């Protein structure tokens, strides 16, 4: 039997106060709160730590240690993930792009 729309339902007791969903997500996933997130954002001038553009920002962290490194836009965060935070690989890619650009410019 369904109850009529708008009917009150008795609860078994007072609900426990819950953290806001975003606060809980940040705390559970990265060990930081919203205040920490906003402090990082302010430190970075509201920009992605890599491309320095004002995109929507996501928490970047080291997958081995859990250490929060900063905030990145989706593209930069995705790039780090695809290359599995492999710094030597990024260095080689930088050299490759730099050499290619110099060749294209005839230097």
């Amino acid at each position: 039997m369904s109850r009529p729309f708008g009917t009150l339902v008795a609860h078994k007791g007072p609900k426990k106060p819950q953290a806001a969903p975003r606060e809980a997500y940040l705390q559970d996933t990265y060990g930081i709160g919203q205040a920490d997130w906003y402090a990082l954002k302010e430190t970075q001038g509201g920009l992605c730590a890599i491309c320095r553009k004002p995109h929507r920002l996501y928490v970047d962290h080291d997958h081995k240690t859990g250490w929060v490194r900063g905030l990145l836009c989706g593209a930069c965060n995705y790039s780090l993930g695809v290359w599995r935070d492999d710094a030597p690989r990024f260095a080689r890619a930088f050299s490759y792009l730099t050499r290619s650009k110099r060749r294209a410019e005839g230097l």
Side-chain angles (χ1 to χ4, degrees), residues 3-73:
R3 61 184 175 85
F5 177 76
T7 307
L8 294 176
V9 177
H11 293 283
K12 295 182 179 180
K15 288 185 177 182
K16 295 179 183 177
Q18 294 181 348
R22 182 175 166 83
E23 177 76 23
Y25 170 76
L26 289 170
Q27 200 60 244
D28 294 345
T29 308
Y30 306 108
I32 65 171
Q34 279 189 295
D36 301 313
W37 190 92
Y38 282 109
L40 277 170
K41 184 178 179 183
E42 185 175 325
T43 300
Q44 295 179 199
L47 306 173
C48 171
I50 294 177
C51 70
R52 308 299 300 154
K53 296 194 176 162
H55 297 296
R56 181 175 177 187
L57 299 174
Y58 301 89
V59 176
D60 172 51
H61 68 289
D62 184 303
H63 288 260
K64 291 179 183 172
T65 66
W67 182 259
V68 173
R69 296 182 285 220
L71 302 176
L72 301 177
C73 70

Side-chain angles (χ1 to χ4, degrees), residues 83-93:
W83 284 13
R84 300 182 184 200
D85 302 337
D86 184 349
R89 187 177 195 182
F90 278 98
R92 289 189 304 273

